[in-house]
Amino acid sequence: MSNKKSIFEDHAITAVPKDVRRSFTSMFMTYTGVIVCMAVIWTGGELGTGLDLNSFLIAIVFGSLISGIIGLLTGVVGGYTRVTTYVILRHSFGRLGSQIAGAAVSGIGCGIGWFFIQAWLFAVVIQTISLELWGTVPMIFYGPVAAAWGAALMTLTAVLGFKGIAFLSYITIPLFVVILGGGSYAAITEAGGFAAVPEVMPTDPITVPVAITAIVGSYIAGATITSDISRFSIKSTHGGWAWFWHIMLFQPILYAAAGLLTMLTPGTDVAQAMAYLGIGVGALFIVIMGQWTTNDSNLYNGALAFANTFKLSKPVITVIMGAIGAVMASLTAMGVFGADPFMAFLGMLGTWLPPIAGIMIADFYIIKPYLHGLRDPQKRYVFGPGTEYSVINWIGIISWVAAGLIAFFVPMGIGALNAVISAFVIYLVLTFIAEKANINYSSGKSIESESGF
Amino acid sequence: MVESKLDFFKRNVPRTLLILGVIGVVISLLAPNPYGRGLFLLVSLVPIIVGLLTYVRLGKAQNDDGKVSKSIIEASWILFTFGVAYLVMATSTYYHPGNDVVHAALIVLGIVQAIFGAYSLVSYGREGYIMTP
């Protein structure tokens, strides 16, 4: 229970030791803190204006189930291996492959790209709400200033690592339940009671498949990298199940609360709806804390990916990335450049994150136990000083690129799910063929050093 | 000396949850606005339930330091966050209690609750306990 080690120690490239592992509750709270972000709340709000109640509920259940199962499977891998997603990839992508894939999609994508976009979005919403609340924008809530201090706050908890993110989630989650619960109840009573809810017709109708795609797409990145958190769970499977239950229980509540707020009030987004209902301070709180709990996680995941790529300590990487993000968010808020081109690039880059989940699942649950005979999940992967990895696992790289291209160019179905399934199938088939035909599909040799690098 | 400080929280955190929860219920019932009354009643009931559960958990934990501290730290989080919940929700116009005295009482209650919860958490944190067990 006692922990007197450095507060920055976060086991970025080594296995999480027993004395810092956490309970199911801690896992559940941390995941829940990450999911409560403006993007998810806004998606819920858009679904509220696009679907009737029945379609809304169907979309939430199916969308949550897909994200829940993918995250459960990847989270359990982290629970057994005790290392981050990027370190796990050293086996299925090779050492260099894991460095490239991790740095490209998580390091650049989440840690720099989405971090600065979310910090900028945070500033924009703060400025809008303070204008609605007070009729003027105090200096501290002025866009470029808010972007800078917002990014600094997010960097602070990301530097502390898991314990910082978990700490913030413990503060935030109970309050979110009260504020969003209070907000949706207010919306329902203002609309004429619970009987009025099924009668509300969508103003911008969308279909159920489109809604499911939006739900899965809004959080597939999180489902792919669940291991970054689940590696801290006391019991190997608890992290994965914490992910599953937080998605099945909390995501629907979040979507429903956001949906009800926009469905039943004239507000077109959640912040406007809450301001309309006279819960402006609650809306401000949701924006600040919601963005903070999510964006520190973006930075954290990016820093973990870069810690596997560059021989630098995770806190140093986090501060550098946080500073870059703060400057870019402030410049965007000042109008020096627009966010749209970056968002288009990040959206394209994001296509290559879900295939990683498919490859991890295929390798850990099928290839290792059934092709390599490693039935004991604790022994499927070996990590630690002296461990030998290939430099590149070509099948991992080919499956990753091919699945990303399929998700990018095939317009049917749910793009993110297409990416996961196609990566899973391609990796399985190619590995099976290569092993049966005795084809060597890896190049080079890399040995893990004492530091875990 | 250190032992007695943590013993103080072990003894008083569940007790404070119950006492402040009951005070919260009484104050909430005095709120003229039915929406505010309902919301603050719910917010007050949570500490009471958690306080009772903490007594049960402490009874089961016996002298297991890990389990005892986990129960007290989690109860302290409820004390802190639900204290802040009074403060955040009392500022909304929709859930305003409808009476300035009740409003002020709820804010004072929230501040006391949040400070005591935070003090307990900081004290455990200073002794090296994991604050998010």
Side-chain angles (χ1 to χ4, degrees):
Chain A
M1 203 69 191
S2 196
N3 179 17
K4 293 279 186 189
K5 290 175 187 165
S6 160
I7 56 164
F8 297 116
E9 179 56 73
D10 198 43
H11 312 283
I13 49 172
T14 53
V16 173
K18 263 189 181 163
D19 62 327
V20 294
R21 291 181 194 169
R22 312 292 173 96
S23 65
F24 178 90
T25 313
S26 188
M27 298 285 110
F28 185 89
M29 293 293 276
T30 308
Y31 282 133
T32 307
V34 177
I35 200 178
V36 183
C37 67
M38 295 323 295
V40 170
I41 294 172
W42 253 239
T43 306
E46 281 168 17
L47 298 182
T49 57
L51 297 167
D52 59 50
L53 188 66
N54 280 345
S55 309
F56 187 75
L57 294 176
I58 291 168
I60 287 177
V61 170
F62 278 96
S64 301
L65 200 58
I66 292 170
S67 306
I69 290 171
I70 293 170
L72 165 66
L73 293 172
T74 55
V76 168
V77 180
Y80 277 115
T81 58
R82 304 283 169 202
V83 292
T84 65
T85 308
Y86 322 101
V87 176
I88 292 170
L89 295 184
R90 289 177 184 182
H91 285 281
S92 48
F93 278 66
R95 184 69 182 92
L96 182 63
S98 75
Q99 290 173 301
I100 294 169
V105 293
S106 218
I108 296 172
C110 295
I112 295 177
W114 284 117
F115 177 73
F116 110 72
I117 295 285
Q118 294 270 357
W120 162 74
L121 188 64
F122 166 86
V124 170
V125 180
I126 286 250
Q127 189 170 305
T128 310
I129 293 179
S130 48
L131 194 63
E132 280 180 24
L133 272 179
W134 301 297
T136 175
V137 181
M139 188 60 190
I140 195 158
F141 292 151
Y142 172 59
V145 180
W149 63 256
L153 284 180
M154 294 155 191
T155 306
L156 180 73
T157 41
V159 167
L160 294 172
F162 176 85
K163 47 190 163 301
I165 297 171
F167 184 82
L168 199 61
S169 297
Y170 269 71
I171 295 177
T172 314
I173 303 312
L175 281 166
F176 267 55
V177 172
V178 173
I179 295 169
L180 280 174
S184 22
Y185 180 76
I188 290 168
T189 47
E190 283 297 288
F194 283 95
V197 178
E199 287 163 19
V200 177
M201 295 312 288
T203 49
D204 302 307
I206 55 170
T207 62
V208 172
V210 168
I212 293 175
T213 305
I215 291 171
V216 176
S218 71
Y219 211 42
I220 191 71
T224 302
I225 53 178
T226 47
S227 297
D228 296 354
I229 300 294
S230 69
R231 65 198 173 108
F232 282 95
S233 61
I234 292 172
K235 288 189 181 166
S236 302
T237 54
H238 273 186
W241 281 111
W243 169 272
F244 181 80
W245 286 116
H246 105 283
I247 283 286
M248 293 310 294
L249 297 175
F250 208 83
Q251 180 166 271
I253 291 173
L254 202 61
Y255 277 132
L260 283 170
L261 278 163
T262 54
M263 206 187 268
L264 301 173
T265 68
T268 52
D269 62 52
V270 175
Q272 269 187 14
M274 292 190 79
Y276 169 82
L277 292 167
I279 313 175
V281 175
L284 199 62
F285 183 88
I286 282 185
V287 172
I288 294 176
M289 300 307 283
Q291 283 300 81
W292 187 356
T293 55
T294 304
N295 217 15
D296 64 353
S297 179
N298 276 335
L299 186 58
Y300 178 62
N301 294 315
L304 288 177
F306 277 135
N308 179 54
T309 305
F310 303 113
K311 211 172 181 179
L312 277 173
S313 78
K314 201 215 91 198
V316 172
I317 295 171
T318 311
V319 170
I320 294 171
M321 292 165 73
I324 294 171
V327 170
M328 290 184 71
S330 293
L331 290 175
T332 312
M334 285 164 77
V336 174
F337 46 76
D340 288 351
F342 290 101
M343 286 170 80
F345 171 70
L346 291 169
M348 189 270 292
L349 200 61
T351 314
W352 271 271
L353 189 54
I356 288 175
I359 293 167
M360 269 173 71
I361 293 166
D363 199 48
F364 188 81
Y365 294 98
I366 311 281
I367 298 293
K368 293 294 173 199
Y370 299 110
L371 212 57
H372 296 168
L374 299 165
R375 294 298 172 99
D376 181 355
Q378 304 278 8
K379 293 176 181 163
R380 285 179 199 170
Y381 287 141
V382 178
F383 298 100
T387 305
E388 196 177 294
Y389 309 101
S390 60
V391 172
I392 291 207
N393 178 331
W394 290 106
I395 290 180
I397 299 289
I398 291 168
S399 311
W400 175 53
V401 174
L405 290 172
I406 289 171
F408 196 70
F409 289 110
V410 174
M412 296 180 304
I414 301 167
L417 192 59
N418 292 347
V420 176
I421 292 172
S422 45
F424 177 86
V425 172
I426 295 168
Y427 186 84
L428 270 189
V429 171
L430 290 183
T431 309
F432 186 79
I433 292 170
E435 297 246 342
K436 292 296 166 195
N438 242 342
I439 300 167
N440 184 15
Y441 52 88
S442 58
S443 301
K445 222 185 260 182
S446 171
I447 294 171
E448 187 175 322
S449 69
E450 278 298 319
S451 65
F453 194 74
Chain B
M1 193 69 187
V2 168
E3 278 290 311
S4 63
K5 193 173 181 183
L6 294 188
D7 279 348
F8 169 80
F9 290 114
K10 181 183 161 187
R11 206 172 49 250
N12 286 300
V13 165
R15 187 182 292 174
T16 311
L17 278 163
L18 288 178
I19 294 170
L20 294 184
V22 170
I23 293 173
V25 167
V26 173
I27 298 173
S28 305
L29 287 172
L30 299 173
N33 175 6
Y35 300 135
R37 194 189 311 144
L39 179 86
F40 291 115
L41 261 176
L42 281 176
V43 172
S44 309
L45 284 173
V46 173
I48 295 175
I49 295 165
V50 174
L52 293 172
L53 282 175
T54 307
Y55 275 120
V56 173
R57 292 176 77 188
L58 288 177
K60 282 185 181 172
Q62 304 279 337
N63 289 324
D64 183 331
D65 180 55
K67 286 182 181 169
V68 168
S69 57
K70 186 172 185 273
S71 303
I72 298 298
I73 290 169
E74 285 175 354
S76 303
W77 275 113
I78 294 295
L79 207 49
F80 173 73
T81 51
F82 277 78
V84 179
Y86 280 118
L87 302 179
V88 173
M89 295 313 279
T91 55
S92 74
T93 48
Y94 191 86
Y95 288 111
H96 190 285
N99 176 298
D100 287 342
V101 177
V102 174
H103 189 217
L106 284 172
I107 287 176
V108 171
L109 181 68
I111 291 171
V112 171
Q113 207 168 298
I115 288 176
F116 190 71
Y119 182 43
S120 167
L121 287 169
V122 169
S123 301
Y124 270 93
R126 279 190 177 159
E127 292 307 316
Y129 286 88
I130 293 174
M131 290 166 78
T132 53

